[in-house]
Amino acid sequence: MTILQEINKGKEFEFLKRISEEEDVPVEKIKEELITGKAVLCFNPFHKNLKPIIIGSHFSTKVNVNIGISPVASDFEKEKEKVRIALKYKTDTIMDLSVGKDASSFRKWLIYEANCPVGTVPIYQVANKFQNIEEANFEDFLEEIEEQAKEGVDFMTIHAGFKKSHIPLVEKRKLGIVSRGGALIYCWMKRRDEENPFYKNFDELLDILHKYDVTISIGDALRPGSIIDASDDAQFAELKTIGKLLKKCKERGVQAMVEGPGHIPLNQIEENVKKALRICKGAPFYVLGPVVCDNAGGYDHITSAIGATLAAYYGASLLCYVTPKEHLGLPDLDDVRAGLIAFKIAAISADIAKGKKYALKIQEEMAEARKNFLWEKQFSLMLDPERAREYFKEGITEEGEFCSMCGPDFCPMRITK
């Protein structure tokens, strides 16, 4: 029996009370949002040390971190450290995007180590097993999905909305397909001249996800990877298909999220988010960025955090972080930290604008601490206390009623005090 079925039957869960207190939302409202499909828990009972969280536009904006083994530039131990950094700075979810020989081992370790929901893209592992993706049959995809579900993966990105009929639309683009999973599905369809197996056999796929209570994150294989391709026919054709697939998810009792666009100019973000929420009946919208300009290499955690703030304000529920290394290489420890903090800023900035009580309370406490020069209290409220404390101490030999910017004689708060 899935978590939704148990909630429907009136079973009480202690973690719902905790979520209610953290989110300042009544338990009954949480249940309503879950049952209507406007929120998800990402709760696989095989993930033993999981601390469930709720994802939905009615709740605090959440942030996801992407981690994973690369076949050319990373190793197991380095990725472990990245996970520890992500957990230290309070990521809400972690997606394992591993490819390469150690991918399976790393995933198992991650599920054991992380107490937050863990997501994967199962087609990556299938691609590891076959030299050419078109050699895989649908049974191979299902086998991998079930194996990962048994291990405790909480949510899976599956690119089921990309249909064979969309191919001519995407081939008109300036940049084409930038989704790794989308590119694999494209090759599979082109080389076999067949329909997307996830779309064609969606009911069978849902049977597996329902059995293990895994949330599906319907991937946007045709997300634009260039501002030039933003909001095009290919992107919205896939979105309409995703909207239809969501009806099947609801009928089958499978929790579902929808993944959103990557590169979108600032003036199109409102339209994109609201359109997705309308077509998908309010299902949680999970966005990568969006990146709002294409030529800021080395600083894409900033370009995307700008877009993420606006997307969250208009209703996106889960923000997938972007690091300074986006488009350039595999992120290191500092990149993971910078990307996560940038997106935590985006999330709380949107929540402040939406009037979320937890976010406003932090701002009020910060004002009081600054007014009274309570430095340690200030640091404890900050998203990266260590960095704040480090910067403060660079120019000050002892704590007082000033910092090194103004000194004791020009600090406006000290003067007025």
Side-chain angles (χ1 to χ4, degrees), residues 4 204 210 273 362 408:
L4 285 183
E204 197 173 342
H210 181 272
V273 175
I362 292 171

Side-chain angles (χ1 to χ4, degrees), residues 357-388:
K357 290 182 180 179
Y358 90 92
L360 295 173
K361 185 173 183 288
I362 292 171
Q363 311 316 304
E364 186 177 349
E365 290 179 7
M366 180 61 80
E368 190 67 23
R370 281 182 169 154
K371 176 183 177 182
N372 293 293
F373 298 96
L374 302 175
W375 295 107
E376 284 304 318
K377 176 65 174 177
Q378 290 181 54
F379 300 147
S380 72
L381 293 168
M382 292 178 182
L383 296 170
D384 188 345
E386 291 181 2
R387 181 59 50 83

Side-chain angles (χ1 to χ4, degrees), residues 111-308:
I111 294 167
Y112 177 81
E113 187 75 13
N115 63 356
C116 66
V118 171
T120 61
V121 189
I123 195 173
Y124 295 175
Q125 191 65 21
V126 176
N128 280 334
K129 296 176 180 178
F130 292 88
Q131 186 172 4
N132 297 302
I133 190 64
E134 70 272 15
E135 296 171 4
N137 294 316
F138 183 63
E139 290 72 24
D140 299 309
F141 293 120
L142 271 192
E143 182 181 318
E144 182 62 35
I145 289 167
E146 184 158 17
E147 181 180 331
Q148 293 191 18
K150 286 179 181 177
E151 291 171 0
V153 173
D154 300 290
F155 64 103
M156 296 182 186
T157 292
I158 298 175
H159 302 86
F162 179 15
K163 295 169 61 178
K164 189 180 175 185
S165 61
H166 299 155
I167 289 176
L169 298 176
V170 79
E171 289 179 342
K172 296 177 182 177
R173 281 181 164 177
K174 190 76 174 176
L175 189 54
I177 297 174
V178 298
S179 160
R180 190 193 291 175
L184 290 169
I185 290 293
Y186 171 84
C187 288
W188 194 96
M189 288 191 288
K190 287 280 282 190
R191 291 172 183 169
R192 292 178 64 126
D193 192 25
E194 293 181 32
E195 183 57 273
N196 180 343
F198 296 118
Y199 174 78
K200 183 179 178 181
N201 304 285
F202 196 66
D203 290 334
E204 197 173 342
L205 169 64
L206 290 182
D207 288 341
I208 299 292
L209 299 179
H210 181 272
K211 180 179 177 181
Y212 296 95
D213 211 352
V214 175
T215 299
I216 185 172
S217 185
I218 305 181
D220 53 339
L222 304 186
R223 69 173 181 267
S226 164
I227 295 297
I228 304 302
D229 297 325
S231 306
D232 68 354
D233 291 341
Q235 178 192 332
F236 288 142
E238 182 185 34
L239 180 61
K240 288 178 182 177
T241 305
I242 290 172
K244 294 176 182 176
L245 294 176
L246 280 169
K247 292 180 182 178
K248 292 190 174 186
C249 294
K250 191 173 181 180
E251 290 167 1
R252 192 67 183 87
V254 173
Q255 297 187 86
M257 296 189 289
V258 178
E259 296 189 11
H263 290 239
I264 297 286
L266 208 62
N267 62 307
Q268 293 180 22
I269 290 176
E270 179 180 5
E271 173 201 359
N272 269 262
V273 175
K274 290 184 176 179
K275 190 167 187 174
L277 292 174
R278 183 177 70 255
I279 290 172
C280 300
K281 308 299 182 187
F285 198 33
Y286 171 23
V287 295
L288 177 66
V291 182
V292 295
C293 74
D294 295 341
N295 60 325
Y299 299 90
D300 276 326
H301 61 311
I302 297 174
T303 63
S304 55
I306 292 169

